[in-house]
Amino acid sequence: MKKLTIDVDVFESERINSGIRKLVLAGLLKDNPENQMGRVIQAAAGAKWMTLRELERTVFMMFFVADTQAAISARLREVNPKVHGLVKERRAVKDPDTGKLVYFYRLVAAEELVA
């Protein structure tokens, strides 16, 4: 059983990370591990695609807080470009072993704020 992933090329990664850096420098993206939304944003922002399980593990490794997959999913639904400067991207990949769809997520800078 091979782990499913979505590859990101160097150019896409640089474009996305550049947008995130611009948000940080503009003061729109603040590190706030005190609340769940802040932890999820810090874990999901960037070019890497992650499943909810991977986001759950990443949040725990970054902040030593066990936010559940359901809670992380809810916070991802609440991301608003006008408030957070980020948009949620979602992709589905069909698992060849089970035939089920596996969803991947990431947060990227909203285009109108980066330009």
Side-chain angles (χ1 to χ4, degrees):
M1 183 167 95
K2 182 181 172 233
K3 181 180 173 187
L4 291 176
T5 59
I6 298 176
D7 294 326
V8 179
D9 68 39
V10 175
F11 300 109
E12 180 184 19
S13 180
E14 179 52 36
R15 180 185 57 80
I16 291 169
N17 291 333
S18 174
I20 299 290
R21 277 193 298 277
K22 287 179 183 176
L23 290 177
V24 170
L25 292 173
L28 295 172
L29 189 61
K30 297 178 178 138
D31 184 8
N32 186 4
E34 304 302 316
N35 63 49
Q36 196 173 60
M37 180 61 99
R39 291 190 298 270
V40 171
I41 286 173
Q42 290 301 313
K48 183 176 181 191
W49 291 96
M50 289 189 269
T51 64
L52 289 173
R53 179 168 288 140
E54 291 168 331
L55 282 167
E56 179 183 42
R57 189 174 22 247
T58 301
V59 167
F60 184 77
M61 289 171 51
M62 289 173 75
F63 304 107
F64 302 106
V65 177
D67 293 327
T68 65
Q69 292 176 39
I72 291 168
S73 176
R75 298 301 80 77
L76 288 173
R77 284 192 301 273
E78 293 172 356
V79 171
N80 183 332
K82 290 182 171 92
V83 176
H84 304 104
L86 299 164
V87 292
K88 175 184 77 174
E89 291 186 347
R90 181 180 86 163
R91 279 206 190 152
V93 175
K94 190 172 185 176
D95 186 334
D97 294 334
T98 64
K100 295 180 180 180
L101 290 177
V102 177
Y103 289 92
F104 291 84
Y105 303 90
R106 67 181 178 185
L107 296 176
V108 299
E111 290 298 322
E112 64 270 8
L113 296 173
V114 175

